[in-house]
């Protein structure tokens, strides 16, 4: 079963930062936080993942709270192409399954 | 990032027939692959874990005799939907771990199955 809860939907103005929260209060010490997004009728796309430190890549930033019970995915300058369902997943590394929750449907508004 | 490819992208089959979907890791070896199904407006549901050279592990409620999984090589897993019925119509997605790139799972493009 999924170990994460996310708001079902969010809107964001184009060009502004999109901040997507995720709660994972039962996360274990060896579990990573992964973020993926799915655009309609496509397979999920990897965005970023982290264990306890904040992470940044060319797509997004991941902020994990000190107690690791929640995290926030930040898209710094949202574009219309960022409209998608965003999934937050916690899992141990290599070899373990991903169980998806319901995700957050992000709509970027012109 | 790593590439996982599925084939076919979409398929239509008659009720009662079987259909095979392939999942390939194109630039890395995957000892473990995963199969999901997704109904419209719903999240991805894990069906099974495909292990190279051994039997697949199925999630509770997934019929192993209906959804046959074969992982005969380090780059190929196949899902065969046997005796398909209209309720099997769905979006099927595979994924694989790529341990080279910091322990990340990559997903295929998905395969649409319509059973008529």
């Amino acid at each position: 079963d999924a170990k994460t809860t996310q708001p079902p939907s969010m809107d964001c103005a184009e060009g502004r930062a999109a901040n997507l929260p995720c709660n994972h209060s039962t996360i274990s010490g060896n579990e990573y936080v992964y973020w993926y997004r799915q655009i309609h009728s496509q397979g999920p796309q990897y965005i970023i993942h982290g264990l306890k430190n904040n992470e940044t890549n060319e797509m997004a930033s991941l902020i994990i709270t000190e107690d690791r019970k929640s995290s926030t995915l930040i898209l710094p300058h949202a574009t219309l192409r960022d409209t998608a369902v965003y999934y937050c997943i916690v899992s141990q590394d290599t070899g373990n399954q991903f169980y998806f929750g319901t995700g957050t449907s992000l709509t970027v508004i012109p | 990032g790593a590439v996982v490819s599925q084939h076919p992208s979409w398929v239509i089959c008659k009720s009662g027939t079987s259909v095979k979907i392939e999942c390939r890791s194109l630039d890395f070896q995957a000892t473990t692959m995963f199969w999901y199904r997704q109904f419209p407006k719903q999240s991805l549901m894990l069906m099974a874990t495909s292990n190279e050279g051994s039997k697949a592990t199925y999630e509770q409620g997934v019929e192993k005799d209906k959804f046959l999984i074969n992982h005969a090589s380090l780059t190929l897993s196949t899902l065969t939907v046997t005796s398909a019925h209209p309720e099997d119509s769905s979006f099927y997605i595979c994924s694989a771990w790529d341990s080279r790139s910091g322990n990340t799972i990559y997903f295929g493009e998905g395969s649409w199955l319509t059973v008529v």
Side-chain angles (χ1 to χ4, degrees):
Chain A
D1 291 333
K3 297 176 65 173
T4 61
T5 54
Q6 300 176 250
S9 64
M10 293 180 64
D11 292 339
C12 177
E14 186 179 17
R16 305 300 289 266
N19 297 281
L20 293 91
C22 179
N23 286 322
H24 32 80
S25 59
T26 61
I27 191 170
S28 300
N30 59 354
E31 288 182 316
Y32 288 74
V33 179
Y34 292 84
W35 282 84
Y36 285 76
R37 71 181 182 186
Q38 185 180 28
I39 297 170
H40 183 61
S41 299
Q42 297 181 25
Q45 177 190 22
Y46 169 77
I47 301 174
I48 199 167
H49 76 285
L51 183 62
K52 43 185 170 179
N53 297 324
N54 297 337
E55 302 286 345
T56 296
N57 63 19
E58 65 278 4
M59 290 183 69
S61 294
L62 172 61
I63 308 299
I64 303 174
T65 58
E66 193 168 341
D67 63 7
R68 303 210 323 125
K69 293 185 177 182
S70 65
S71 61
T72 301
L73 178 74
I74 301 172
L75 308 179
H77 305 286
T79 70
L80 300 180
R81 288 178 295 180
D82 292 323
T83 292
V85 178
Y86 286 76
Y87 294 101
C88 166
I89 303 156
V90 297
S91 180
Q92 296 177 10
D93 65 2
T94 307
N96 283 282
Q97 304 92 328
F98 275 10
Y99 292 98
F100 283 76
T102 53
T104 296
S105 178
L106 175 69
T107 302
V108 180
I109 302 168
Chain B
V3 178
V4 176
S5 179
Q6 287 183 235
H7 178 82
S9 299
W10 57 271
V11 57
I12 301 172
C13 72
K14 290 186 177 181
S15 187
T17 63
S18 296
V19 61
K20 180 186 289 187
I21 301 170
E22 294 184 346
C23 177
R24 294 181 185 273
S25 55
L26 296 186
D27 56 353
F28 66 100
Q29 293 182 331
T31 56
T32 305
M33 291 184 173
F34 305 95
W35 286 95
Y36 295 81
R37 66 188 299 183
Q38 184 177 32
F39 293 109
K41 298 188 185 300
Q42 295 186 22
S43 187
L44 285 79
M45 184 193 80
L46 179 65
M47 299 175 67
T49 301
S50 172
N51 304 298
E52 189 268 335
S54 65
K55 292 183 178 180
T57 305
Y58 291 81
E59 295 294 304
Q60 191 172 9
V62 178
E63 299 176 60
K64 62 179 181 180
D65 295 329
K66 181 166 185 63
F67 299 100
L68 300 179
I69 291 172
N70 184 283
H71 194 155
S73 78
L74 287 171
T75 59
L76 173 64
S77 175
T78 60
L79 169 69
T80 300
V81 183
T82 62
S83 187
H85 290 101
E87 57 265 31
D88 298 324
S89 299
S90 188
F91 191 49
Y92 291 88
I93 310 167
C94 70
S95 67
W97 277 101
D98 179 13
S99 58
R100 302 171 309 166
S101 56
N103 299 328
T104 304
I105 278 188
Y106 291 96
F107 287 81
E109 316 96 319
S111 300
W112 281 102
L113 170 63
T114 301
V115 184
V116 297

